[in-house]
């Protein structure tokens, strides 16, 4: 039934009829937060255990026998149906946080001795997961520039099982050419037996499914921090892995045993408030981001602005090809990065003064990490989100001492601009 409707409508209503929960007489799905479920009979209890994570059953078609909330629950299941739809994936499994989702997406695909190839610009905790934790378990890794076809191909080893990337990257907004990368990995997979196949995983948090749907470009899995654009209001944490049905059993078992299940209360909020307003919020935030980027670009205190919607964006052709909204229009998103004028130390001090000026004087712009909320958030990567990187690693990742990251919200854009101009004038 939902196939007759456009994305915008399905994100609001979800599946017209879901097997997950009987709520014929409700407009909103009920919120249910039972940690354990009544099993009614020994037989039904046994069936529940047979059913859970059973690869021979289509989760979308059977009415689930719920057992215990860490395994599965109705709000979580309804959210998963909507999220799978949003990315055009066969299945979605939701998690407590974005990092729980990243851990599962990688975790189900590697064993000791295997190798992960990841792009050299990664979300800080993903970097730490791969380099600190997975390496302890004997999983090796290479971080490389995956936009360089030769580097990509020469970094793939016989024991490579995962190619991992983000696009746009944090915080510089650099893009990775997803279709080109998928072609290279397909080439490397030719002739490999199924159990040695390399899977591609992309963190699509910065774009959101509104601006980009990587599964339609051939990637195997998409992960999101639901905490960001999909939740949208900054009130809930969550994560999701979306992709091939063949991985569903492992994702559910990984979640069961590592324990990163999403709380039904968070799932309900994202289902009822976040997903239904995604398109509306993104359109507004994106239009404002364009205005902010254009204004900043002309400002004398600003060296340059990186926003995929600007003609000056270094990968503008790729941006136009790859970032498309659910109606097919160019969708450069609502994240931007800009650098202040000045030599290293001077630019660093200026950036901090801009942060402090905004923290003390601005209503429209909040000094905070995170992104994707209805509120405009600003931060200084060199001293905040990316401060754990050495200055050499920061430079290699394109993070300058005077670099500033902004996540544009839904405030009146004239207020965002006025507060930004005040802060820039003060330094
Ligand atoms: C925030 C974020 C994560 C981690 O998500 P949490 O919900 O904070 O665990 C992963 N990747 C990207 C790109 C993010 O912005």
């Amino acid at each position: 039934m939902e196939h007759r409707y456009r994305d915008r409508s399905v994100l609001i209503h979800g599946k017209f009829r879901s097997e997950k929960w009987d709520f014929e007489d409700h407009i909103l799905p009920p919120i249910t937060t039972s940690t354990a479920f009544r099993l009614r009979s020994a037989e039904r209890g046994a069936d529940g255990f047979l059913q859970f994570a059973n690869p021979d059953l289509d989760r979308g078609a059977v009415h689930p026998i719920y057992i215990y909330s860490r395994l599965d629950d109705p709000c979580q299941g309804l959210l998963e149906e909507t999220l799978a739809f949003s990315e055009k994936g066969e299945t979605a499994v939701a998690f407590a946080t974005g990092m729980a989702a990243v851990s599962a997406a990688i975790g189900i695909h590697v064993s000791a001795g295997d190798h992960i190839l990841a792009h050299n610009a990664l979300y800080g905790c993903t970097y730490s997961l791969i380099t600190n934790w997975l390496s302890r378990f004997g999983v090796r890794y290479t971080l490389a520039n995956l936009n360089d076809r030769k580097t990509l191909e020469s970094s793939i080893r016989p024991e490579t099982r995962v190619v991992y990337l983000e696009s746009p990257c944090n915080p510089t907004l650099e893009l990775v050419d997803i279709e080109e990368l998928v072609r290279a990995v397909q080439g490397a997979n030719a002739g490999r037996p199924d159990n040695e196949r390399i899977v591609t995983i992309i963190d699509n948090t910065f774009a959101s499914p509104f601006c980009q749907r990587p599964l339609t470009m051939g990637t195997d899995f998409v992960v999101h921090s639901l905490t960001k654009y999909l939740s949208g209001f900054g009130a809930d944490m969550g994560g999701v892995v979306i992709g091939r049905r063949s991985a569903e059993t492992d994702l559910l078992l990984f979640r069961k045993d590592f324990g990163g299940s999403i709380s039904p209360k968070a799932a309900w909020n994202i289902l009822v408030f976040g997903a239904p307003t995604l398109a509306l919020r993104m359109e507004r935030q994106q239009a404002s981001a364009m205005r902010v980027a254009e204004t900043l670009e002309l400002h004398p205190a600003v060296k340059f602005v990186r926003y995929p919607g600007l003609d000056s964006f270094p990968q503008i052709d790729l941006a136009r090809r790859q970032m498309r909204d659910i109606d097919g229009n160019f969708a450069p998103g609502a994240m931007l990065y800009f650098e202040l004028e000045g030599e290293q130390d001077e630019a660093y001090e200026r950036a901090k003064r801009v942060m402090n000026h905004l923290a003390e004087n601005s209503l429209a712009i909040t000094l905070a990490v995170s992104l994707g909320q209805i509120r405009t958030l600003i931060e200084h990567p060199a001293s905040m989100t990316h401060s754990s990187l050495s200055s050499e690693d920061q430079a290699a990742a394109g993070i300058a001492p005077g670099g500033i990251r902004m996540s544009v919200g839904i405030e009146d854009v004239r207020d965002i601009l006025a507060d930004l101009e005040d802060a820039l004038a003060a330094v």
Side-chain angles (χ1 to χ4, degrees):
M1 176 93 175
E2 67 277 10
H3 298 301
R4 274 186 19 214
Y5 294 92
R6 291 169 212 284
D7 289 36
R8 228 171 273 271
S9 307
V10 179
L11 286 173
I12 295 168
H13 292 274
K15 279 192 119 174
F16 182 62
R17 293 269 188 278
S18 172
E19 289 298 321
K20 307 282 183 227
W21 193 251
D22 173 6
F23 60 100
E24 294 269 311
D25 301 324
H26 295 67
I27 291 174
L28 300 185
I31 180 165
T32 131
T33 64
S34 188
T35 55
F37 294 82
R38 191 189 305 283
L39 292 168
R40 274 189 255 152
S41 70
E43 290 71 25
R44 188 178 151 87
D47 283 350
F49 280 92
L50 276 179
Q51 207 189 65
F52 176 71
N54 185 333
D56 301 327
L57 286 179
D58 177 356
R59 272 210 311 160
V62 294
H63 181 74
I65 300 174
Y66 295 112
I67 303 168
Y68 186 62
S69 193
R70 177 157 42 73
L71 276 56
D72 198 2
D73 114 303
C75 288
Q76 181 182 290
L78 289 167
L79 175 65
E80 287 167 346
E81 286 177 343
T82 296
L83 294 176
F85 175 86
S86 75
E87 285 283 3
K88 314 295 164 217
E90 293 171 0
T91 189
V93 177
F95 291 85
T97 64
M99 283 319 300
V102 172
S103 305
I106 298 177
I108 63 165
H109 289 110
V110 291
S111 309
D114 290 346
H115 173 250
I116 299 168
L117 172 59
H119 188 52
N120 52 12
L122 288 178
Y123 182 72
C125 302
T126 304
Y127 171 84
S128 176
L129 171 75
I130 294 173
T131 59
N132 291 331
W133 296 103
L134 292 175
S135 68
R136 280 203 202 180
F137 304 137
V139 177
R140 302 193 193 93
Y141 63 88
T142 305
L143 306 179
N145 178 7
L146 301 191
N147 263 325
D148 185 271
R149 179 83 181 241
K150 281 216 175 68
T151 305
L152 167 59
E153 284 170 348
S154 65
S155 304
I156 292 178
R157 306 182 191 167
E159 60 280 14
T160 304
R161 292 292 171 272
V162 169
V163 169
Y164 189 95
L165 69 145
E166 296 164 19
S167 180
C169 296
N170 179 19
T172 58
L173 280 299
E174 181 206 359
L175 307 185
V176 176
D177 187 330
I178 299 171
E179 285 180 340
E180 172 84 7
L181 176 131
V182 165
R183 269 194 295 275
V185 174
Q186 277 168 351
N189 271 334
R192 284 194 180 210
D194 266 0
N195 61 345
E196 290 176 18
R197 217 180 141 262
I198 304 165
V199 298
T200 47
I201 304 173
I202 177 167
D203 181 336
N204 199 28
T205 300
F206 260 50
S208 91
F210 178 82
C211 296
Q212 173 175 286
R213 287 152 309 283
L215 297 177
T216 66
M217 302 171 212
T219 60
D220 296 301
F221 296 93
V222 162
V223 294
H224 278 283
S225 166
L226 300 178
T227 315
K228 315 294 169 51
Y229 284 108
L230 277 156
S231 149
F233 295 87
D236 294 287
M237 302 206 87
V240 70
V241 182
I242 308 169
R244 295 182 184 283
R245 169 125 41 226
S246 55
E248 184 181 271
T249 293
D250 280 351
L251 287 169
L252 291 170
L253 294 175
F254 192 100
R255 182 176 70 185
K256 169 177 83 70
D257 297 339
F258 282 83
S261 310
I262 189 169
S263 140
K265 291 169 184 142
W268 188 83
N269 282 343
I270 298 168
L271 178 68
V272 170
F273 302 120
T277 57
L278 175 71
L280 208 54
R281 286 183 282 111
M282 284 306 306
E283 273 162 342
R284 170 62 178 259
Q285 292 175 228
Q286 180 172 275
S288 295
M290 189 70 196
R291 286 274 303 278
V292 173
E294 283 170 349
T295 307
L296 280 174
E297 196 163 45
L298 300 175
H299 199 286
V302 174
K303 196 187 281 175
F304 64 78
V305 183
R306 290 282 178 265
Y307 176 65
L310 289 175
D311 287 339
S312 62
F313 188 68
Q315 298 165 293
I316 183 68
D317 293 338
L318 174 60
R320 289 216 174 93
R321 188 153 31 92
Q322 190 159 281
M323 302 189 76
R324 291 276 159 185
D325 74 14
I326 53 186
D327 295 318
N329 304 310
F330 180 36
M335 294 299 301
L336 57 92
Y337 175 79
F338 61 98
E339 232 178 276
L340 297 179
E341 285 285 3
E343 288 310 310
Q344 307 268 318
D345 293 350
E346 188 190 359
Y348 186 86
E349 290 308 320
R350 275 192 185 152
K352 287 182 85 167
R353 284 205 294 279
V354 170
M355 296 298 110
N356 281 330
H357 190 277
L358 289 168
E360 281 162 31
N361 304 295
S362 175
L363 173 81
I365 303 175
T366 306
L367 173 59
V369 301
S370 199
L371 57 116
Q373 311 190 5
I374 55 170
R375 293 165 192 247
T376 296
L377 306 180
I378 200 162
E379 65 112 3
H380 179 222
S383 70
M384 297 174 189
T385 46
H386 294 70
S387 56
S388 62
L389 273 66
S390 65
S391 43
E392 295 79 53
D393 285 352
Q394 285 190 1
I399 302 164
I404 293 175
R405 185 186 84 180
M406 243 180 120
S407 165
V408 178
I410 63 170
E411 298 90 349
D412 191 310
V413 69
R414 291 168 295 187
D415 291 328
I416 300 173
L417 290 172
D419 281 0
L420 203 50
E421 275 164 26
D422 275 357
L424 290 172
V427 300

